[in-house]
Amino acid sequence: MSEFAEIILDGKSFKLPIFTGSEGEKSIDITSLRAETGYVTLDSGYKNTGSTKSAITFLDGEKGILRYRGYSIEELAEKSTFLEVAYLLINGELPAKAELDHFTTRIRRHTLVNEDMRKIFDGFPVNAHPMGVMAALASAMATFYPGSIDPNRSPEAIDLTITRLLAKMPTLATWAYKNSLGHPVNYPKNSLGYCANFLHMMFALPVEDYEVDPDVEKALDTLLILHADHEQNCSASTVRLAGSSQVSLYSAVSAGISSLWGPLHGGANQQVIEMLEKIKEDGGGSKKWLDKAKDKDDPFRLMGFGHRVYKNFDPRAKIIKVACDKVLNKLGINDPALDIAKELEEAALSDEYFVERKLYPNVDFYSGIIYRALGIPTDMFTVMFALGRLPGWIAQWKEMRGEGQPIGRPRQIYVGEQLRSYVNIDKR
Ligand code: SDX
């Protein structure tokens, strides 16, 4: 039975096909709307608009469900590893052992960076925010690997670009951090796993040995899994839109990094910790700050709270909150920010303003507390989000390019001046 939506425009009836997804989500396919009716739709912020069909990630904001390629985030966080999840997102299936070994080995073989990229760091001020550095470096990779610019690149060339991104971004991220300290950079060690290598490059010093703590390594791996994809969020949509012009994947990812940096998106994890520190310095106490968050005349918002899609708990926030207690206990860390965060959450969840608007903690509310416990500095928090989200961006780009989707080019409704004649300056 073909379902359709009927709309009456200027007394005329039009039928638009209904498309239903594999989880029962309903949509009205408006592909033919303008050609048939001359009308377009209007939806600022795309709050009601599906930009694509996708088989990568399913989330149900009302029920707090998140699945990558059909596997629940809870199972993957408990049983999988970040590289296995990256393979799953990009290729659609969990890898067999030989496939995962090959994927891991190829990434290991590409962790080194062209030494000429180190000269780029000299152009940044020492206090450069690492997200600005990473966006520049990701785009610069397209100049070091010009083959990636060819829009008709072969599947092998695309696979090499994907491998280079997954392999080199952690190296470049740690170099941005070391550069900000004026410390010598560390080179990757092929004997280490993905997260252990990152921690080694971040924290090893020439003057002392650095041993990776397996608890820290596991916690980092779990955090990266939890950030790996989230369907058509702001940065993934940016990667898709930029990528739809057939620009290099490096440049599309650079656009995604820039978009993620925003405080309403991935930049919120840094804002949360800065907010908790401010509340701690102010003597704590959730009531004053919740009142500020509710006051429309006050620019303060409860960062890490609320979500465009989740109108129930963000399942990732629930997992991270549990991991917070576990990691801080294992590392013997007592961070007052965690107590303040828990107090804020408890107070907000019983406050009418937050309950009415269905505002719950999101992925960014507790993640910064763990990153800090792992020794990651605050302005690197959003870089950690980007490293986690990288396989998701790649999967979204690959799906969009693989389907040969057209260049993204939204319409608009013009509300400016109608035709008028030029007036010479002496007559204005
Ligand atoms: C991420 O999309 C994704 O999937 C993103 C992400 C991913 O994995 O990619 O999940 C990652 O970006 C998480 C979100 C991180 N951002 C923050 O934590 C910033 C704080 N949150 C808000 O700015 C806000 O909740 C957004 C941006 C997340 C969502 O904004 P929406 O969907 O546009 O909702 P809105 O701003 O229209 O808010 C609805 C109401 C408003 O009040 P009224 O006008 O109805 O009176 O809720 C209020 C807002 O003022 N509100 C908040 C609030 N968030 C929303 N009030 C106080 N504090 C907040 N945090």
Side-chain angles (χ1 to χ4, degrees):
M1 177 189 76
S2 65
E3 293 179 284
F4 56 82
E6 181 177 15
I7 51 173
I8 312 289
L9 294 171
D10 309 324
K12 220 177 143 203
S13 161
F14 296 91
K15 290 186 176 177
L16 295 166
I18 298 286
F19 178 78
T20 304
S22 53
E23 287 289 341
E25 295 166 305
K26 297 273 184 194
S27 63
I28 300 170
D29 184 337
I30 57 168
T31 307
S32 62
L33 181 69
R34 189 168 186 276
E36 286 186 20
T37 70
Y39 282 65
V40 295
T41 56
L42 207 50
D43 183 20
S44 176
Y46 308 112
K47 292 192 174 188
N48 306 283
T49 299
S51 59
T52 185
K53 298 170 186 173
S54 179
I56 299 168
T57 291
F58 170 71
L59 65 83
D60 181 321
E62 281 66 35
K63 295 180 186 147
I65 292 171
L66 174 59
R67 299 185 198 132
Y68 297 159
R69 299 287 188 180
Y71 296 95
S72 77
I73 193 68
E74 291 81 4
E75 269 213 291
L76 292 171
E78 185 194 336
K79 300 175 182 171
S80 189
T81 63
F82 176 60
L83 281 190
E84 184 176 76
V85 165
Y87 183 101
L88 170 67
L89 286 168
I90 294 167
N91 298 295
E93 297 295 336
L94 284 171
K97 187 175 181 324
E99 290 168 322
L100 184 58
D101 290 347
H102 176 68
F103 184 70
T104 304
T105 304
R106 269 173 61 87
I107 287 171
R108 266 208 188 112
R109 293 238 174 88
H110 287 273
T111 49
L112 274 179
V113 170
N114 185 314
E115 282 291 313
D116 282 347
M117 288 197 86
R118 288 187 59 180
K119 296 171 189 162
I120 301 173
F121 286 95
D122 299 339
F124 289 107
V126 71
N127 61 345
H129 194 291
M131 281 299 275
V133 174
M134 291 308 289
L137 292 172
S139 196
M141 284 177 82
T143 65
F144 282 83
Y145 304 107
S148 68
I149 299 173
D150 170 13
N152 304 309
R153 43 200 172 273
S154 67
E156 293 72 28
I158 288 173
D159 187 53
L160 181 54
T161 296
I162 290 172
T163 303
R164 280 173 167 154
L165 267 169
L166 290 169
K168 299 178 193 300
M169 293 299 277
T171 305
L172 291 169
T174 65
W175 287 11
Y177 171 57
K178 286 296 198 185
N179 200 57
S180 71
L181 298 176
H183 285 186
V185 298
N186 289 310
Y187 284 87
K189 275 186 174 176
N190 283 353
S191 57
L192 297 175
Y194 196 80
C195 289
N197 218 350
F198 176 80
L199 293 166
H200 154 74
M201 291 189 283
M202 275 289 282
F203 301 120
L205 287 168
V207 292
E208 59 192 38
D209 291 336
Y210 173 75
E211 281 296 309
V212 174
D213 179 327
D215 290 330
V216 171
E217 181 184 2
K218 173 63 183 156
L220 178 56
D221 197 86
T222 303
L223 280 167
L224 293 178
I225 290 173
L226 293 169
H227 287 81
D229 191 55
H230 213 239
E231 50 129 287
Q232 303 313 311
N233 59 85
C234 181
S235 54
S237 300
T238 301
V239 169
R240 276 182 172 255
L241 193 57
S244 72
S245 73
Q246 299 193 6
V247 76
S248 153
L249 173 57
Y250 296 120
S251 304
V253 165
S254 171
I257 293 171
S258 295
S259 159
L260 184 73
W261 192 3
L264 295 188
H265 191 11
N269 59 16
Q270 174 172 349
Q271 302 276 326
V272 168
I273 279 290
E274 289 167 358
M275 171 187 76
L276 295 173
E277 284 302 310
K278 195 190 290 182
I279 295 172
K280 188 177 77 176
E281 279 152 33
D282 187 51
S286 52
K287 183 174 181 336
K288 168 185 171 184
W289 295 93
L290 289 191
D291 289 345
K292 283 172 66 65
K294 296 186 287 188
D295 178 357
K296 294 301 173 199
D297 298 326
D298 189 320
F300 177 79
R301 294 189 97 152
L302 194 57
M303 300 309 278
F305 246 76
H307 199 277
R308 171 61 57 78
V309 179
Y310 286 122
K311 300 309 172 191
N312 191 327
F313 271 90
D314 180 334
R316 302 165 297 176
K318 286 165 80 171
I319 298 169
I320 293 173
K321 182 180 176 184
V322 170
C324 259
D325 283 324
K326 215 167 113 190
V327 170
L328 269 65
N329 287 339
K330 278 213 170 177
L331 299 177
I333 295 171
N334 173 28
D335 186 345
L338 179 56
D339 301 328
I340 294 172
K342 286 179 177 176
E343 187 193 323
L344 278 171
E345 177 187 358
E346 190 181 342
L349 296 185
S350 56
D351 181 296
E352 190 194 321
Y353 173 95
F354 290 88
V355 173
E356 201 181 277
R357 291 166 179 79
K358 298 182 178 174
L359 303 176
Y360 291 88
N362 60 50
V363 67
D364 292 315
F365 193 61
Y366 288 103
S367 54
I369 294 167
I370 295 193
Y371 286 137
R372 183 155 71 176
L374 302 184
I376 310 276
T378 306
D379 68 0
M380 283 288 286
F381 287 5
T382 313
V383 172
M384 301 311 295
F385 194 142
L387 293 179
R389 186 51 55 87
L390 186 57
W393 287 334
I394 292 169
Q396 298 287 345
W397 173 88
K398 193 177 172 191
E399 183 176 72
M400 179 272 301
R401 295 285 297 118
E403 290 169 358
Q405 288 193 15
I407 186 170
R409 202 267 183 233
R411 292 282 180 162
Q412 66 160 29
I413 297 298
Y414 176 71
V415 294
E417 295 288 342
Q418 295 188 329
L419 179 63
R420 52 184 175 166
S421 303
Y422 182 81
V423 177
N424 289 333
I425 192 158
D426 56 354
K427 296 271 188 296
R428 286 176 210 161

